[in-house]
Amino acid sequence: MNCLTYPTGAVVSPDYAIRVGELLEQFGTPDADVAWLLCDRHPASARALMIVDEHLAAIEYTYGELAEASRRAAAVLSAAGVGRGDRVATVMGKSAQLVAVVLGIWRLGAVYVPLFTAFAEDAIRSRLADAEVRLVVADEDQRAKVPAGDWTLIVAGTDSPDGLSARLVAASWQGIGSTPVGGDGALVHMFTSGTTGKPKGVVHPVRYAAGWQSYLEFGLGVGPDSVFWCGADPGWAYGLYTAIVAPLAAGVPTLLLRGGFSAADTWTVLKDRAVTDYTAAPTVYRGLRASGLPVPQGLALRRLSSAGEPLTPEVNDWARDALGLEVHDHYGQTELGMPIGFPHHSSLRRPVLAGAMGTSLPGWEITVLGEDDDAPVESGQTGRLAIVVAGSPLMTFRGYVGGRGGDRFRAGGAYFLTGDIASIDADGIVRFSARDDDVIIMAGYRIGPFDIESTLLQHPAISEAAVVAGPDEVRGEVVEAFVVLAPGAAVSDDLVQQLQQWVKKNYAAHAYPRRIHFVQSLPKTPSGKIQRAQLRQRRREDAGLGAGAR
């Protein structure tokens, strides 16, 4: 069995349980210090971060430079009244300044609230209010979406007296150290989407990060000689922990590309930066495949991974032919981290199987419970995918903010329901069947129908709305809406475009309905709840229902 020695001196033990225990001890001690774990303990001259800008020019930063930048950021935040336990949000794109601000938040013992830059004002307002945020740092192009409230706004990237850049230059930071909060101290307060109600708040403790470093080592197989790039956005859990937290903790340089996805830019960065380890949502691989662009010669790629949505078989059909590699599918949730996947670590690797999610990763134990009881089913039978709590030392989730989530624990807390339907064969291979809720996973983003429905219902032409997942060759799934018109409104292509723009403006640019169906009524239960499963079935049976748009 191979061992890897990381720049921190940590050795990946032949006994996976030992290594998981080492990470839990490291992140779980009563005096755990996040800034030290992610930054200060590393050699100041060691490479930490590479930012590739919109013109594909790259700037590298050392741990010493991040330490100074984050101390300056902490000084600015402290002067604004931020202290231990306070919630600080960002609405920022991928940049060195984002990383410095996040580390600065943790230096003060404050709690980070990441917000995706595609969110519209209402989505941002609700999350800021629900998290009781004290201060927001937003990019200049995002400031207009941050509403007034019980929080202070600092605009990043500006030299105005109130701008973050000017404040950082003037900050007196030499006396800024870091505040230990301990393994049970709050690290991140973020939100996950469901099918009913508002997005649910999840608070991650510091020791939650141990699972992500374990995932980096075992699931992704990233080692000290890797050139690592995670293409996910840090506004979401996978991007935050895989692109920033885990590699900084492990001492492995990480790459962030500013801007959105472009197939041409992705190929250029993979080649020019000699990336060896790449992970992104399956939609990115489908986008590369669909672009028709030639694969550059001389790529250094050794490992490919994906997460955020089921990996469809055509991705690996293409990857094997085009790249001579296979994409390893990985599965996780904001509440949990990454418990399942096809690991890249040489001592855990097993053949990638089409249509399968992988097996349990170190630090996790999984099972499948029956549909009608809370007992594990036999191998190969389909049921409710669950985490075995006692066998999963990396699990930190105990409930949502406000005490919700208790119903997801079963058999006296022995199992945690993931909300997915799956089977596990005799070899421990998990095969996904379906989600038992209606969350839409589009290009790796989890989208709750409730938010979009609520936004559509604010349009004067709409009296009722329901949103489901529709199939899409590139994105995996897209938002598909069924709407009932208000009296006096008429179906038209112009109205379709109006509704799409309405959702973009009032909820999120990425979550607008690609297809809209106008119907006379929506199927409902006797209690009045919309039956989305019937809408999905109706869509499959009658693809020509109503007017639609892409």
Side-chain angles (χ1 to χ4, degrees), residues 67-358:
E68 178 181 336
S70 63
R71 286 189 174 99
R72 290 183 183 275
V76 171
L77 296 173
S78 179
V82 173
R84 179 171 177 166
D86 288 333
R87 268 53 174 170
V88 180
T90 67
V91 192
M92 301 175 69
K94 291 168 278 188
S95 66
Q97 197 166 79
L98 169 67
V99 177
V101 169
V102 174
L103 287 174
I105 292 168
W106 289 331
R107 279 194 183 283
L108 298 175
V111 183
Y112 178 45
V113 182
L115 295 176
F116 186 36
T117 53
F119 281 143
E121 181 177 341
D122 285 348
I124 290 173
R125 177 188 290 107
S126 68
R127 287 160 175 81
L128 293 178
D130 288 350
E132 298 182 351
V133 165
R134 177 161 191 162
L135 184 144
V136 184
V137 182
D139 285 335
E140 174 66 32
D141 62 354
Q142 301 292 322
R143 67 184 301 174
K145 297 194 300 187
V146 180
D150 295 330
W151 44 80
T152 301
L153 172 63
I154 295 179
V155 180
T158 64
D159 293 323
S160 66
D162 292 329
L164 180 62
S165 296
R167 294 187 186 195
L168 291 175
V169 171
S172 176
W173 59 272
Q174 286 82 356
I176 297 291
S178 56
T179 302
V181 297
D184 292 326
L187 178 72
V188 170
H189 185 147
M190 61 170 34
F191 293 86
T192 182
S193 297
T195 58
T196 60
K198 298 173 65 176
K200 297 180 287 291
V202 179
V203 176
H204 299 148
V206 172
R207 57 191 170 87
Y208 173 82
W212 288 92
Q213 186 171 344
S214 176
Y215 169 66
L216 184 85
E217 297 176 7
F218 294 123
L220 296 175
V222 171
D225 62 341
S226 295
V227 178
F228 176 59
W229 180 18
C230 170
D233 193 285
W236 301 93
Y238 192 79
L240 172 63
Y241 288 101
T242 306
I244 296 178
V245 172
L248 288 182
V252 175
T254 185
L255 184 155
L256 297 178
L257 172 64
R258 291 183 63 82
F261 170 74
S262 157
D265 288 352
T266 300
W267 286 129
T268 298
V269 173
L270 288 171
K271 177 175 174 57
D272 290 355
R273 304 304 159 196
V275 173
T276 61
D277 296 71
Y278 181 60
T279 181
T283 189
V284 169
Y285 295 104
R286 287 192 287 264
L288 292 173
R289 172 178 174 265
S291 72
L293 296 173
V295 177
Q297 297 297 309
L299 291 175
L301 287 170
R302 298 199 296 258
R303 288 172 285 268
L304 300 173
S305 304
S306 71
E309 59 181 323
L311 183 70
T312 45
E314 79 279 358
V315 171
N316 268 330
D317 291 341
W318 165 80
R320 281 188 288 267
D321 291 339
L323 300 169
L325 297 169
E326 289 184 311
V327 181
H328 288 218
D329 193 17
H330 298 144
Y331 165 92
Q333 294 183 339
T334 300
E335 297 93 330
L336 302 172
M338 303 299 293
I340 300 171
F342 284 104
H344 277 289
H345 191 279
S346 59
S347 298
L348 292 169
R349 191 177 297 132
R350 56 200 307 169
V352 173
L353 303 176
M357 299 162 62

Side-chain angles (χ1 to χ4, degrees), residues 453-486:
E453 291 166 357
S454 298
T455 303
L456 286 168
L457 288 170
Q458 294 175 31
H459 192 282
I462 303 303
S463 64
E464 291 188 281
V467 168
V468 300
D472 185 84
E473 183 176 350
V474 173
R475 303 175 187 88
E477 293 179 348
V478 293
V479 176
E480 191 160 350
F482 292 78
V483 298
V484 177
L485 292 179

Side-chain angles (χ1 to χ4, degrees), residues 56-77:
L56 305 188
I59 301 178
E60 291 190 340
Y61 298 86
T62 65
Y63 279 99
E65 290 170 326
L66 280 187
E68 178 181 336
S70 63
R71 286 189 174 99
R72 290 183 183 275
V76 171
L77 296 173

Side-chain angles (χ1 to χ4, degrees), residues 11-42:
V11 177
V12 176
S13 169
D15 187 332
Y16 308 122
I18 290 176
R19 179 55 180 157
V20 169
E22 291 170 350
L23 290 170
L24 282 169
E25 181 178 3
Q26 182 175 268
F27 285 92
T29 60
D31 61 348
D33 181 331
V34 179
W36 183 84
L37 287 165
L38 271 57
C39 185
D40 297 353
R41 64 174 168 151
H42 300 294

